[in-house]
Amino acid sequence: MLGDLEITALSDGYLNLGLELFPSADTAAAEALLAKAFLPKPLPTSVNAYLVTKGDRRVLIDTGTASAMGAILGHIPEALAAAGVRPEEIDTVIITHLHPDHANGLVGIGGTAAFPAAEVVVAAPEFAFWHDDGIRSKAPDQMKPYFEIARKSLVPYHGKVRKIEGEVEIAPGIRALPAPGHTPGHLALRIGSGDANLLLLTDVIHASALQFVHPEWAIAFDVDQEAAIATRKKVLDMVSADGLLVAGMHLPFPGIGHVIRDGNAYAYVPTPWPAL
């Protein structure tokens, strides 16, 4: 519970991140951090989504991968069922950015809308980037399928996509916080009710064992790595200074905790689920 909002963490599964995906990381230092955390290589990384409920209003934040990334992922429908929520009961789906592990779950069987009653909210710069044919034509070949997936994910919601700009309230208690770099329209979210507040970091962090200690280690999927690093440092400075509760799509499930300063870097302190 967050004030009068109920937040349910949903696990889509996990993906494995090789150290080669962090091009500026020192390999020996990264391997030492994984060993210190008793983590293997490649690094298993949670893929989370969150459901925010107030009364009979249900807002889903990200949708997972569906069938885009293999059998160890794609479990948001099962997680929603376990939470007692049917897809047609979702009023709003907020897509924090249009990468397949966040947006591919928008599409159901046969290309239909997986959430038929929902309005989909996405940042206008995010929509514009993935729908720009000029940008797509100049993208590396391995990135071009991401443009197709991003576009197809929104097709079933024609006329029901709301594009937002800047820091705006998306739904009661949920406010957009632009966090560009990972993608141009990447969103963090401020969620609050009364005096209770949480910042959803989204993909500011991909590997908690590495990037809190080394926020300067970008991931290869960052469209603008320098901007992503600047955003990460800015957001981590804010949440650590304010002692703000955080959640994240790639923090170890359920992905809720706090960030503290640790010298010139940061550390993540997960909140055990009975304390939530």
Side-chain angles (χ1 to χ4, degrees), residues 77-103:
E78 299 160 48
L80 282 170
V85 177
R86 300 191 309 274
E88 58 268 25
E89 294 177 314
I90 302 295
D91 306 292
T92 304
V93 178
I94 300 171
I95 297 297
T96 61
H97 59 297
L98 284 164
H99 276 165
D101 53 325
H102 300 262

Side-chain angles (χ1 to χ4, degrees), residues 7 113 126 137 153 158 162 165 167 177 235:
I7 301 178
E126 187 74 4
S137 68
S153 69
H158 180 71
R162 173 163 46 117
E165 296 261 15
E167 293 191 35
L177 178 66
V235 170

Side-chain angles (χ1 to χ4, degrees), residues 22-90:
F22 299 89
S24 60
D26 177 88
T27 300
E31 289 179 344
L33 286 170
L34 294 184
K36 182 179 179 181
F38 297 95
L39 291 169
K41 295 185 298 179
L43 173 63
T45 301
S46 296
V47 176
N48 306 324
Y50 295 90
L51 177 70
V52 181
T53 305
K54 182 179 180 181
D56 60 358
R57 177 162 191 147
R58 295 174 176 87
V59 178
L60 179 63
I61 304 172
D62 285 347
T63 64
T65 60
S67 60
M69 299 176 72
I72 59 174
L73 289 154
H75 301 296
I76 291 300
E78 299 160 48
L80 282 170
V85 177
R86 300 191 309 274
E88 58 268 25
E89 294 177 314
I90 302 295

